[in-house]
């Protein structure tokens, strides 16, 4: 396959990847602790949250076996994150804002690096961006499903999560299309995703509901926003 | 791979595929509107409902990257469907019966075309039929899971959905086995699926419960049929 | 690919595989009966529970199409299991303990055979063990998700299920690492998994909750352990 788009030095890429995996594993483990899963459930949810998006990406682009099953660091990082959360969850929850900031960094990183990897494997830029978004948000969707919560990605009572990812991945796609992708421009795309997510959190930006949705009957059960669950970056208070 | 089973002209196939994707995207977007997901949730559920079954089919048969990540039409069609639902959902719900009819057409189309594509890729006829059924119903199962509903495919309080798909895909398998598959016979299999689904809707046909299931204790929570959700083809009233 | 690790005669392997598939299909069909799914829902949940883990394993290691879509026995065995449960579920539930014992045997079998198959396909031993665990527990996770239950794998109110699987698969990984894997040692790993799971059931062994988890606020909804559902090996009483 072409390596034209390999914009990062391999070791930079690995460190960045493992950082993102660590953060997403922390969010998975925090949900597991809140749901009172036992230590095995904590580790399982940490692994699935951290690696789920990347495994989907690799299956779709044909990089089999997925990187998560080739590199021991990918497998051990969520275990370390789960172990830290197992002991330190009260302290981590106290710095909940910090977790959200780092989660936003993970979102930017995976949106961009997932798009780049898909493009390296020969996917056209705009489809690569779709795969990049799936890489960034996929693990969180699996985490929420396994905790029986409506994925916070989809919920209106959560600050915008998809849009920053779409923006970052889409920027990379445009750069790829015009042959302009480089370390600086891809770093800028990561930063834009990160900042937009932080702004959404800071100012409570949410996506619009469907037009005339006030005409809808009340949902039969409970409001989707009133479940027992908190989502990514909404730690136990 | 063998192209022996390529029974449709490519452009016919593409138009049919995109029509089915459009319809399934509409059902996903309607569920998202009813769940009060925001515009990103509506688009995400439209994409996943429309493309989920086909992505699973392509991963299983080895057509990687899946067609959904190669052809821009596959990606844009759910966006268009989601945009229409965003603005027009009150009107679409008013013609709910029409949506169910077109959904039945999508079921017939995907059951047959999924089976044919799997066979083209070298899967034995009866396994190809299983893949065809998964193609037709897979997106709807993902849609219901993401909306935290028991998949309507499985529920007894929904008219039969799996049986028409199994019938259509199984007919194609028998035709393949005997070398009789052609445009007319495969069209007839689509039509049979479509008509059987319409009859099930019209006359409320449902599958039998397990033998002696009246002896079962009442489920601990609520009846599976009484959740807040409606499934495929059960629009907001 | 290397066949170095092919430690079982093919027919032994097939019989063992189909036995495990049969048992997992029974647990899926029992959940479907309890949820009052109709006959198609029963068959679908039997198939997905029995084959889900193996399909994931095969997609990840690159054995495409997955074995479940190549061998008719894999497809028919869950149908037979579903048919038996359809008629005999009252009797099967009466011997619930027996089902749990055989389920424990399936757990041992799939944990070991999944690890071996992944290693045969060139996955490094410890990643192969992760795939083996996913093979053994994956179908049950899908079963619980489709029945809208928190996977019993993750729940603290269920006896340990993951640890025996991790132990069995990890033992195989160590044996592979040192070139010691053979029919006897792999049989011992299966037996250890089986016995540990039985001991966990007999003595109610559960994994520890997170440290200081008594400080957590009560979950917003209900206790995860009080849902309407029972999990693998918890038949309707």
């Amino acid at each position: 396959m072409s390596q034209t788009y390999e914009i990062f030095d391999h070791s930079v890429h690995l460190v960045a990847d493992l950082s993102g995996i660590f953060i997403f594993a922390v969010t998975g483990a925090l949900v597991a602790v809140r749901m009172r899963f036992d230590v095995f459930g904590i580790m399982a949810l940490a692994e699935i949250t951290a690696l789920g998006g990347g495994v989907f990406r690799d299956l779709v682009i044909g990089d089999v076996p997925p990187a998560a099953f080739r590199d021991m660091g990918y497998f051990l990082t969520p275990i370390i994150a789960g172990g830290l959360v197992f002991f330190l969850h009260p302290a981590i929850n106290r710095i909940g804002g910090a977790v959200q900031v780092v989660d936003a960094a993970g979102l930017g990183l995976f949106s961009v690096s997932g798009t780049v990897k898909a493009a390296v494997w020969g996917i056209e830029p705009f489809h690569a961006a779709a795969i990049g978004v799936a890489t960034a948000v996929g693990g969180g969707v699996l985490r929420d499903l396994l905790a029986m919560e409506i994925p916070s990605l989809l919920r209106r009572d959560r600050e915008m999560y998809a849009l920053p990812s779409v923006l970052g991945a889409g920027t990379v796609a445009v750069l790829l299309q015009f042959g302009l992708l480089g370390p600086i421009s891809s770093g800028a795309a990561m930063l834009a995703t990160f900042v937009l997510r932080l702004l959404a959190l800071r100012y409570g930006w949410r996506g619009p509901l469907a037009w005339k949705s006030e005409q809808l009957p009340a949902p039969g059960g409970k409001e989707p926003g009133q479940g027992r669950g908190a989502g990514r970056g909404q730690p136990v208070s």
Side-chain angles (χ1 to χ4, degrees), chain A residues 25-108:
Chain A
V26 167
T27 72
L30 285 172
V31 168
V33 168
R34 185 170 44 72
M35 296 294 289
R36 286 180 165 61
F37 293 167
D38 68 14
V39 63
F40 306 108
I42 293 168
M43 295 304 178
L45 210 57
E47 292 279 358
I48 293 168
T49 306
L51 304 178
V55 168
F56 176 77
R57 174 200 62 206
D58 290 351
L59 289 179
V60 163
I61 65 177
D63 184 13
V64 171
F69 293 106
R70 283 196 315 256
D71 187 316
M72 196 48 97
Y74 283 62
F75 183 76
L76 291 180
T77 300
I79 298 287
I80 295 167
L84 288 175
V85 169
F86 185 87
F87 289 108
L88 303 179
H89 60 94
I92 296 170
N93 280 330
R94 238 172 281 134
I95 53 165
V99 172
Q100 288 190 318
V101 170
V102 199
D103 178 84
L107 185 72

Side-chain angles (χ1 to χ4, degrees), chain A residues 204-222:
Chain A
W205 290 344
R206 291 162 191 204
L209 287 181
W211 201 59
K212 293 200 173 171
S213 60
E214 70 283 359
Q215 296 180 358
L216 288 173
K222 51 186 178 182

Side-chain angles (χ1 to χ4, degrees), chain A residues 14-28:
Chain A
L14 188 65
V15 168
D17 234 19
L18 293 182
S19 307
I21 285 170
F22 182 84
I23 284 302
F24 285 161
V26 167
T27 72

Side-chain angles (χ1 to χ4, degrees), chain A residues 103-183:
Chain A
D103 178 84
L107 185 72
L109 178 75
F110 277 20
S111 301
V112 171
S113 72
T115 305
V116 171
K117 178 165 182 182
V120 169
W121 279 76
I123 311 285
E124 292 298 312
F126 287 94
H127 285 112
I131 293 172
V133 173
T135 306
V137 307
V141 168
L142 288 174
R143 175 200 60 206
D144 294 347
L145 277 184
L146 288 167
M148 284 291 113
E149 297 174 349
I150 294 185
S152 48
L153 174 72
L154 300 173
R155 292 166 58 167
R156 211 241 156 190
D157 57 324
R158 292 293 148 73
E159 289 80 10
M160 290 192 302
Y161 199 87
L163 184 65
S165 176
V166 169
L167 179 88
T171 302
V172 173
V174 172
L175 293 167
L176 285 168
Q177 193 79 51
F178 292 100
L180 297 172
L181 192 74

Side-chain angles (χ1 to χ4, degrees), chain A residues 173-199:
Chain A
V174 172
L175 293 167
L176 285 168
Q177 193 79 51
F178 292 100
L180 297 172
L181 192 74
I184 293 172
S185 57
S186 63
M190 280 183 198
L191 193 65
T193 303
F194 175 62
V195 169
L196 182 57
R197 169 68 181 154
L198 290 186
L199 289 172

